[in-house]
Amino acid sequence: MSTMTGNADDNTSAKTWIKRRFSATTVLEIVLVVYLIVFVVMPLISLILSTFENKGVDSWIAVFSSNIAKNLFWIPFKNTLIIGIVVSIGAILLGGFMAWLVVMTDVPGRGFLGTLASFPYMLPGFAIALAWASLFRNERLGGIAGFLTNWGITIPDWLAWGVIPIMITMIFHYYSLAYNLIGASMASINSELVEAAEMTGAKRFGILRQIILPVVSPSITSSLLLIFGTSIANFASPALLGMPVRYYTLSTRLYGTIRTGQMGRGYIIALVMIVAATTLLLVNEKLKKSRVSFATLTGKGSRQKRQSLGKWRWPCYCIALLIVTVTTILPGITLFLASITRYTNSLRGGLTSHFWFGESVANIADGIPGLFRNPEIISAAKNSFLLGLIGGIIAVMLGLAIGYITNKSQHRGMRSLIAIFSYIPMLIPSIAFGAIYIVQFGRPFGPFPALYGTFALLVLAGVAHTLPFASQAGRAALSQVSAELEEASVVVGAGLFKRLKDIYMPLVSGPLLSGAINVFVKLARDLSLMIMLVTPTISLLSVKSFQYSSEGFAQLSNAVTLVVSVISVSATVLVHYFNRKSQPWLVKG
């Protein structure tokens, strides 16, 4: 009898030990770590190892020190650095100026100007580049010319192709990011600082230089590094405006080497881009820790008083209006007009809706039907929508799980490991991330068959690459939920998944929905990542737009780009709406 009692006690203690050691939280931690190792860490390791396979040393020599190294790597590397430096400085100057006007001054029409200044970064990166080509393309390459050339205006090569248009279009795209980041920092400046300076007789530009700029310098530095890092990885503008005239950057060289079967060389270029992006982010983190703190928000109430521009009020408004017109309104009008011209980029032949609604006609666009009658476009639209929808749902669920573990887990080691692994995709440029997924899943891997050319690979790559955004949203949302709710639910016996479903998800539904829509937008408009992964058997709207442009079907390319742009802007507006609904304190009375 005592033996039976002892066995029962042993079984009970064993079950208690197992339950304690392998709780639902622990299981979730293990699942997340396995996912991150398989879909984030191992692809990166495989990329590194693959550069040494099949005479990989020869690829390293070819990239860095062979007879072709100058054209293969060093010239594109120099081009990339020049573009990154000029674009980041230009975007900061333009975005910072707009942020100062809208947030800090009494310039007329601040709401209108601020809204339009936010639009360019919502658009796909290739939208402004396509608009530029439709306006300024000359006859250097023969065939298609832009509106200005067709009107009889001579466009020099330097304005139509190469480094100048690439840098201008990228500045127009990224200044919006600088505007949002710097504007948010300026909005936190207490007006009492400005009033005190005015009382001592300081001039408005002296206040800008001696008070405002030092206070917002951390956000300026972060914006500078972020824009530099993203611009050197940009594929769309260099591909559309540089590749046709053999002006290459690292991103277009990476694309070209992979597409022509020079996999080892392409993977080495991808590694260089990853190292560059990682270095920039580490420098940014170090600068954050070493910066002097400028306390501008106190416990006392404060009121916003805008700087008076005096006689400069209307001239500044005209300058700001010109900026938003050139960067937001004009590209949209150009893309629309270019999509309805009977003859490419020419109004002389009249307008037509054929490229939107027309049936196949043999002598128009090689018989390709209009957008809404084109089976390939309809299939690409379905793929883009499903990719954004499925990717958004999976990414936000992973983000919720990561947010829970990093906020609530008692295992510090697992918590730190998951946080670090989920951040890794942020260090990898989009086009390089596509390369590492070709390495990892282009051939059978463990239980996975070769996935190259499948929709599953697009989803896996899209979810993994957007994971830092989703996990950040999850961490931020769950950090606002009181631990008392968790403790009370545990007392009444609610398990982990019931707590996540019945407590956390309803409370943070707004931020989660915003995160899902954000992922949807990134995947629906992404070209740099998806251009490496799509095949003729499966396509997306963004890739289809690039292909049509490369093949000379400008009207179709512009029409597809407009559709992607409308989807991106509409979804982004929804994000702002749900953010305000979930955070009513952000709504000003």
Side-chain angles (χ1 to χ4, degrees):
M1 186 72 178
S2 60
T3 303
M4 293 179 62
T5 303
N7 290 337
D9 291 340
D10 290 342
N11 290 335
T12 302
S13 61
K15 290 178 180 179
T16 302
W17 182 87
I18 292 172
K19 187 175 181 180
R20 185 173 64 251
R21 299 290 294 178
F22 296 97
S23 64
T25 302
T26 304
V27 171
L28 181 60
E29 290 171 343
I30 294 171
V31 169
L32 287 175
V33 169
V34 170
Y35 168 82
L36 291 169
I37 289 175
V38 172
F39 294 103
V40 175
V41 179
M42 290 188 68
L44 182 57
I45 294 174
S46 295
L47 177 70
I48 297 171
L49 295 178
S50 67
T51 62
F52 297 99
E53 295 177 354
N54 300 323
K55 300 181 180 180
V57 175
D58 293 340
S59 295
W60 285 90
I61 295 172
V63 170
F64 293 113
S65 61
S66 69
N67 293 332
I68 63 172
K70 182 178 179 181
N71 290 322
L72 178 63
F73 177 79
W74 292 111
I75 290 178
F77 180 71
K78 181 192 71 174
N79 294 340
T80 301
L81 285 182
I82 292 172
I83 289 173
I85 292 170
V86 174
V87 168
S88 55
I89 294 174
I92 290 295
L93 292 175
L94 204 60
F97 172 72
M98 288 297 298
W100 173 67
L101 278 183
V102 172
V103 177
M104 301 294 297
T105 75
D106 63 347
V107 69
R110 292 188 305 276
F112 172 73
L113 295 174
T115 299
L116 290 183
S118 299
F119 271 24
Y121 195 65
M122 301 179 193
L123 302 175
F126 50 88
I128 297 177
L130 272 179
W132 185 278
S134 296
L135 273 178
F136 293 99
R137 189 191 299 261
N138 62 16
E139 296 177 329
R140 173 178 175 178
L141 301 179
I144 298 173
F147 280 110
L148 297 179
T149 298
N150 285 322
W151 287 339
I153 301 173
T154 301
I155 304 298
D157 288 347
W158 62 266
L159 190 59
W161 306 99
V163 63
I164 298 300
I166 289 172
M167 291 191 298
I168 292 174
T169 54
M170 289 172 66
I171 288 172
F172 286 176
H173 180 62
Y174 289 116
Y175 96 90
S176 182
L177 175 61
Y179 163 77
N180 286 318
L181 294 175
I182 298 173
S185 181
M186 286 182 174
S188 68
I189 297 177
N190 194 325
S191 296
E192 292 177 359
L193 295 173
V194 177
E195 291 177 5
E198 289 176 342
M199 291 175 64
T200 62
K203 302 297 183 182
R204 63 178 66 91
F205 291 107
I207 294 172
L208 173 64
R209 181 172 57 87
Q210 297 179 357
I211 295 179
I212 296 175
L213 286 180
V215 171
V216 300
S217 59
S219 63
I220 291 176
T221 304
S222 293
S223 301
L224 189 73
L225 292 173
L226 179 60
I227 293 172
F228 182 85
T230 52
S231 63
I232 64 175
N234 187 289
F235 172 77
S237 289
L240 292 169
L241 301 172
M243 282 176 61
V245 292
R246 300 183 181 278
Y247 182 89
Y248 294 102
T249 62
L250 288 181
S251 61
T252 53
R253 270 301 186 203
L254 171 58
Y255 172 76
T257 52
I258 296 293
R259 285 300 184 187
T260 55
Q262 303 172 58
M263 312 301 283
R265 298 174 182 179
Y267 297 155
I268 292 169
I269 295 173
L271 276 179
V272 172
M273 298 179 72
I274 292 170
V275 170
T278 303
T279 302
L280 286 170
L281 284 170
L282 292 176
V283 168
N284 189 37
E285 291 299 317
K286 188 172 182 62
L287 288 175
K288 282 182 181 179
K289 294 178 181 179
S290 62
R291 284 172 192 149
V292 177
S293 175
F294 295 96
T296 61
L297 294 176
T298 67
K300 298 184 293 182
S302 63
R303 55 189 175 85
Q304 280 293 113
K305 181 183 177 182
R306 301 182 184 276
Q307 283 183 270
S308 174
L309 293 175
K311 65 180 181 180
W312 290 98
R313 192 165 180 257
W314 286 103
C316 284
Y317 171 77
C318 292
I319 294 172
L321 183 62
L322 178 63
I323 291 172
V324 298
T325 298
V326 170
T327 59
T328 303
I329 299 174
L330 186 58
I333 294 174
T334 301
L335 288 174
F336 178 69
L337 280 178
S339 72
I340 60 174
T341 54
R342 189 176 299 277
Y343 301 121
T344 304
N345 298 333
S346 175
L347 298 176
R348 294 175 182 174
L351 305 178
T352 178
S353 61
H354 172 80
F355 299 100
W356 287 88
F357 306 102
E359 296 181 353
S360 175
V361 178
N363 62 347
I364 301 179
D366 288 352
I368 300 175
L371 200 70
F372 294 109
R373 292 179 179 269
N374 189 331
E376 291 185 1
I377 294 296
I378 294 173
S379 174
K382 290 179 180 177
N383 290 336
S384 294
F385 178 79
L386 284 176
L387 175 63
L389 181 64
I390 296 172
I393 293 173
I394 296 175
V396 82
M397 290 298 101
L398 284 170
L400 177 65
I402 291 172
Y404 178 84
I405 293 300
T406 53
N407 277 299
K408 310 296 181 181
S409 173
Q410 302 300 314
H411 304 140
R412 181 178 299 178
M414 293 288 278
R415 190 169 66 229
S416 300
L417 194 65
I418 290 171
I420 292 170
F421 283 176
S422 64
Y423 187 73
I424 289 176
M426 181 72 76
L427 308 176
I428 306 174
S430 297
I431 195 164
F433 200 87
I436 72 173
Y437 261 64
I438 293 176
V439 176
Q440 186 69 32
F441 297 103
R443 55 194 175 188
F445 165 64
F448 300 98
L451 296 177
Y452 186 66
T454 67
F455 186 76
L457 182 61
L458 303 184
V459 174
L460 291 174
V463 169
H465 192 52
T466 57
L467 192 61
F469 305 99
S471 61
Q472 182 60 36
R475 284 196 292 266
L478 266 69
S479 66
Q480 300 175 4
V481 180
S482 172
E484 295 176 356
L485 295 174
E486 170 101 357
E487 295 166 359
S489 60
V490 170
V491 169
V492 298
L496 171 62
F497 297 105
K498 185 173 180 59
R499 298 198 299 273
L500 289 173
K501 179 174 68 73
D502 295 341
I503 296 177
Y504 288 105
M505 286 190 67
L507 289 174
V508 299
S509 58
L512 287 181
L513 186 57
S514 296
I517 297 174
N518 261 325
V519 172
F520 176 90
V521 171
K522 291 180 184 299
L523 295 181
R525 74 183 185 190
D526 189 276
L527 177 64
S528 298
L529 172 66
M530 297 305 167
I531 194 69
M532 300 295 295
L533 301 175
V534 297
T535 63
T537 60
I538 185 169
S539 189
L540 302 169
L541 285 177
S542 57
V543 177
K544 208 66 187 171
S545 174
F546 176 73
Q547 290 174 346
Y548 279 149
S549 177
S550 302
E551 294 166 2
F553 303 124
Q555 291 97 325
L556 292 168
S557 175
N558 291 323
V560 175
T561 302
L562 272 177
V563 170
V564 177
S565 299
V566 169
I567 293 172
S568 298
V569 171
S570 301
T572 305
V573 170
L574 270 180
V575 169
H576 292 308
Y577 171 77
F578 284 116
N579 279 342
R580 287 185 175 275
K581 294 291 283 185
S582 63
Q583 296 174 307
W585 55 87
L586 295 179
V587 181
K588 296 180 180 179

